[in-house]
Amino acid sequence: MANKLKLFRNAGQTQRFRFVMLVVGCFVISMTFILISRPFTFPTLGSKLGTQRSDVEGEKVAPTLRDDDQASKQLEKNEEENLQGKEDDEALESTSEAEEGGAKNGGNSDQDEAHTAQEIQSNVEKKLSCEFSDPRVDVCELSGDIRIPGNSSDVLFVDSGERNEAFRFRPYARKGDAAAFSRVRELTVKAVDVSAPQCTVRHAAPAVVFSAGGYTGNLFHDFTDVLIPLFLAARQLDGEVQFVVSDMNPWWVYRYLPVFQKLSKFPVIDYDKSKEVHCFSKVVVGLRSHKELSIDPARAPNGYSMVDFAKFLREAFSLERDATSNIEDLAGKKPRILIVARKQSRAFTNLHEITQLADQLGFEIIVNDGDVGSDVGQFAKLVNSVDVMLGVHGSGLTNLVFLPPNATVIQVVPWGGLEWMAMLDFGEPAKDMKLNYVQYSIAIEESSLIEQYPRDHPVFKDTMSFHQRGHPVMRSTFMDNQNVKLDIKKFKNTLWKALEFIIQ
């Protein structure tokens, strides 16, 4: 009996062993199939270095923003994979495959682009023309063999040596302003012979060279001195334009990145830091500017106007509203008003009373100091969501460029004979954008100056004498050292007028 039990156990062990071997065999066969059908891809040296090729020895081809976007998307994808706990070798394989594919797909197009750039340059008529008669800006236009050595002050017009010309100026649209020009580097546009430095990067697209110095960082000057003139220079080129920027602060370009990306397919070149010799067939140095925060359609390419610029901004920042609310849209809703409340000079000292009045008239109230900070897009969406914007004269009112068409701008003008300036800076631009505009000039009793000067002082009796003493004196007296306390009873009629625009 014991021997039979022993034989039974041995037989059972043999069956179990055979079963285990069968499972192991199936597993080995499955893994072999997987490895054969999905081989590991090794990164190529060329793809890791990101080498760009050109048909001209020693030259590179300028990248497009599309290349940068592709790289950014790949980095974001890798980060997401790491967060999800993917294995490092899988992330490396994915990145390598994408880079290798990009290198293979882009090589021929880079050669073609370099060849195209050379053909364009050889066929373009040579021209060097500068205009210094405009009261707001100096501009030079060049075509032919144009070379811009990075980290220099030169824009070189390569000629046979017959011309010996040099033009020095600052490419910033506030000509004659010594304070602004102290922050703008002088450039030299000059004709040189064929001994000019050799090209290291060749561009098929034309270039626009300008300064981001001066008063940039102030919202009003960002738009008046740079962004609107840049729109005039580049919009009609449909993205085929290369920006070369001197006095560039990366944070400032990042602040308006949607604008730059909407106007150009190419990453901005930092003129002061680039180590390349950039070559173009067409170059414009300087930005044309017509007037404060606005455009003269008679002088603009394609008859562009501020209406076109506002539409462009709505596209660049993905702003949803292209019309204000009307009485039908407001069924069950309140019209929205944005009160731009400055924190220092020209501040509302009775802001609480102003918001109470607006609430009584049925407004939904938003209070903000008008400082867009680094996130212009987010603040643009806020401005685009309102029907009325109210503020004392100052850079915060520049945000009117983000308002939907037919919205209303209410500008409060401080004491001191500033009506002409208020109309020039914001009144006319608002009208040019087809916005409703209301101007409210405060009385002596609404100014904090009554706490600083007697009633018979020239501040009240002869305001223009301060203007005649120069802008610094006028600004110090009436803009930097004055706050506003609105007469609520008198101001009520102004808010009613804004409501009437909505009802109409």
Side-chain angles (χ1 to χ4, degrees):
M1 184 70 180
N3 290 333
K4 289 181 179 181
L5 181 60
K6 185 176 181 180
L7 289 172
F8 178 77
R9 288 175 177 172
N10 290 337
Q13 289 176 354
T14 300
Q15 291 177 353
R16 284 195 298 273
F17 177 75
R18 289 175 179 172
F19 177 75
V20 170
M21 290 301 294
L22 179 63
V23 171
V24 171
C26 292
F27 177 75
V28 171
I29 293 171
S30 300
M31 292 301 295
T32 302
F33 176 77
I34 291 173
L35 290 173
I36 292 174
S37 62
R38 187 175 179 271
F40 180 79
T41 302
F42 291 94
T44 63
L45 179 62
S47 66
K48 294 301 290 181
L49 293 177
T51 305
Q52 290 182 301
R53 295 178 293 172
S54 170
D55 62 344
V56 181
E57 184 177 356
E59 291 187 7
K60 305 174 186 176
V61 177
T64 66
L65 280 176
R66 295 189 187 95
D67 300 328
D68 292 348
D69 291 343
Q70 184 180 8
S72 299
K73 289 177 181 177
Q74 187 62 47
L75 289 173
E76 292 174 2
K77 180 180 179 182
N78 290 345
E79 290 176 0
E80 291 173 359
E81 289 177 346
N82 290 333
L83 290 173
Q84 294 170 2
K86 298 266 186 175
E87 294 295 330
D88 290 341
D89 57 345
E90 293 180 355
L92 176 61
E93 181 180 359
S94 174
T95 304
S96 300
E97 290 174 350
E99 290 178 345
E100 185 175 9
K104 290 178 180 177
N105 294 333
N108 292 333
S109 63
D110 286 346
Q111 291 185 27
D112 294 342
E113 186 175 350
H115 185 66
T116 300
Q118 281 189 306
E119 284 186 340
I120 292 174
Q121 194 171 70
S122 61
N123 294 330
V124 169
E125 179 185 357
K126 289 187 177 183
K127 183 182 75 170
L128 170 55
S129 173
C130 296
E131 179 184 347
F132 300 109
S133 59
D134 191 294
R136 296 184 67 90
V137 65
D138 295 328
V139 176
C140 282
E141 296 183 355
L142 305 88
S143 60
D145 183 358
I146 316 301
R147 305 182 190 183
I148 304 179
N151 192 25
S152 74
S153 299
D154 296 332
V155 177
L156 306 177
F157 175 77
V158 181
D159 199 10
S160 60
E162 298 176 358
R163 306 178 65 167
N164 184 22
E165 298 174 302
F167 306 96
R168 295 178 177 84
F169 62 99
R170 290 175 167 81
Y172 182 76
R174 197 153 287 272
K175 186 176 177 179
D177 190 319
F181 271 24
S182 67
R183 303 178 182 91
V184 178
R185 190 160 60 89
E186 184 180 71
L187 302 184
T188 302
V189 175
K190 60 183 177 180
V192 297
D193 59 25
V194 291
S195 63
Q198 294 301 305
C199 303
T200 60
V201 182
R202 196 177 292 275
H203 303 260
V208 174
V209 182
F210 64 95
S211 171
Y215 294 134
T216 55
N218 174 287
L219 190 65
F220 176 79
H221 290 284
D222 288 348
F223 280 88
T224 297
D225 302 347
V226 181
L227 297 180
I228 293 176
L230 196 61
F231 170 82
L232 292 173
R235 182 57 171 168
Q236 70 275 15
L237 299 176
D238 196 27
E240 295 295 334
V241 59
Q242 174 69 66
F243 297 139
V244 181
V245 185
S246 65
D247 310 301
M248 187 179 105
N249 288 310
W251 65 266
W252 185 85
V253 173
Y254 180 78
R255 170 190 269 191
Y256 298 107
L257 192 58
V259 174
F260 284 98
Q261 291 179 335
K262 188 72 175 175
L263 287 174
S264 173
K265 298 176 182 178
F266 309 97
V268 172
I269 294 175
D270 188 334
Y271 192 177
D272 305 335
K273 294 183 179 179
S274 176
K275 297 179 181 179
E276 308 286 357
V277 178
H278 298 274
C279 292
F280 302 88
S281 59
K282 292 184 178 181
V283 174
V284 176
V285 184
L287 298 174
R288 300 186 188 278
S289 174
H290 299 162
K291 51 185 178 177
E292 303 287 48
L293 197 63
S294 194
I295 295 171
D296 179 1
R299 300 170 57 193
N302 297 335
Y304 287 137
S305 68
M306 281 302 288
V307 172
D308 297 309
F309 180 70
K311 181 180 179 182
F312 163 79
L313 289 179
R314 289 195 294 274
E315 294 173 357
F317 290 103
S318 301
L319 305 182
E320 296 181 358
R321 296 178 75 212
D322 56 6
T324 53
S325 303
N326 55 39
I327 195 66
E328 291 82 8
D329 298 330
L330 292 173
K333 298 180 181 179
K334 293 182 176 181
R336 290 163 60 89
I337 183 171
L338 171 62
I339 301 177
V340 180
R342 296 173 59 91
K343 293 181 178 179
Q344 299 180 3
S345 63
R346 286 161 278 157
F348 289 122
T349 59
N350 61 335
L351 181 61
H352 180 65
E353 291 181 289
I354 298 170
T355 57
Q356 278 187 327
L357 173 63
D359 182 60
Q360 292 171 7
L361 294 178
F363 282 102
E364 178 185 344
I365 305 152
I366 302 165
V367 179
N368 193 287
D369 63 4
D371 183 5
V372 300
S374 61
D375 195 345
V376 178
Q378 191 63 32
F379 197 79
K381 287 179 172 64
L382 171 63
V383 176
N384 185 250
S385 73
V386 306
D387 305 293
V388 180
M389 185 169 73
L390 159 66
V392 181
H393 176 81
S395 64
L397 288 180
T398 308
N399 288 294
L400 62 82
V401 296
F402 302 121
L403 286 170
N406 299 317
T408 299
V409 178
I410 302 175
Q411 180 175 198
V412 175
V413 185
W415 177 263
L418 304 177
E419 284 75 12
W420 67 271
M421 182 185 298
M423 181 59 69
L424 181 68
D425 290 348
F426 302 110
E428 291 180 3
K431 293 178 179 179
D432 290 344
M433 286 180 59
K434 307 303 181 186
L435 300 173
N436 300 307
Y437 178 71
V438 182
Q439 187 162 298
Y440 178 91
S441 297
I442 70 170
I444 295 175
E445 293 76 12
E446 296 172 283
S447 171
S448 64
L449 294 175
I450 61 173
E451 301 169 3
Q452 304 174 44
Y453 301 96
R455 285 297 188 96
D456 59 353
H457 193 277
V459 161
F460 303 116
K461 297 294 186 179
D462 187 12
T463 58
M464 295 312 296
S465 64
F466 291 86
H467 291 251
Q468 293 166 1
R469 290 162 63 184
H471 183 77
V473 173
M474 180 276 294
R475 181 179 180 87
S476 174
T477 306
F478 297 121
M479 299 179 70
D480 295 341
N481 292 287
Q482 180 178 192
N483 290 322
V484 173
K485 184 179 181 179
L486 292 181
D487 182 328
I488 296 301
K489 291 182 178 179
K490 188 173 71 168
F491 188 68
K492 184 176 182 178
N493 293 331
T494 301
L495 281 187
W496 264 118
K497 188 174 294 185
L499 277 176
E500 289 174 357
F501 285 128
I502 296 173
I503 295 172
Q504 293 173 0

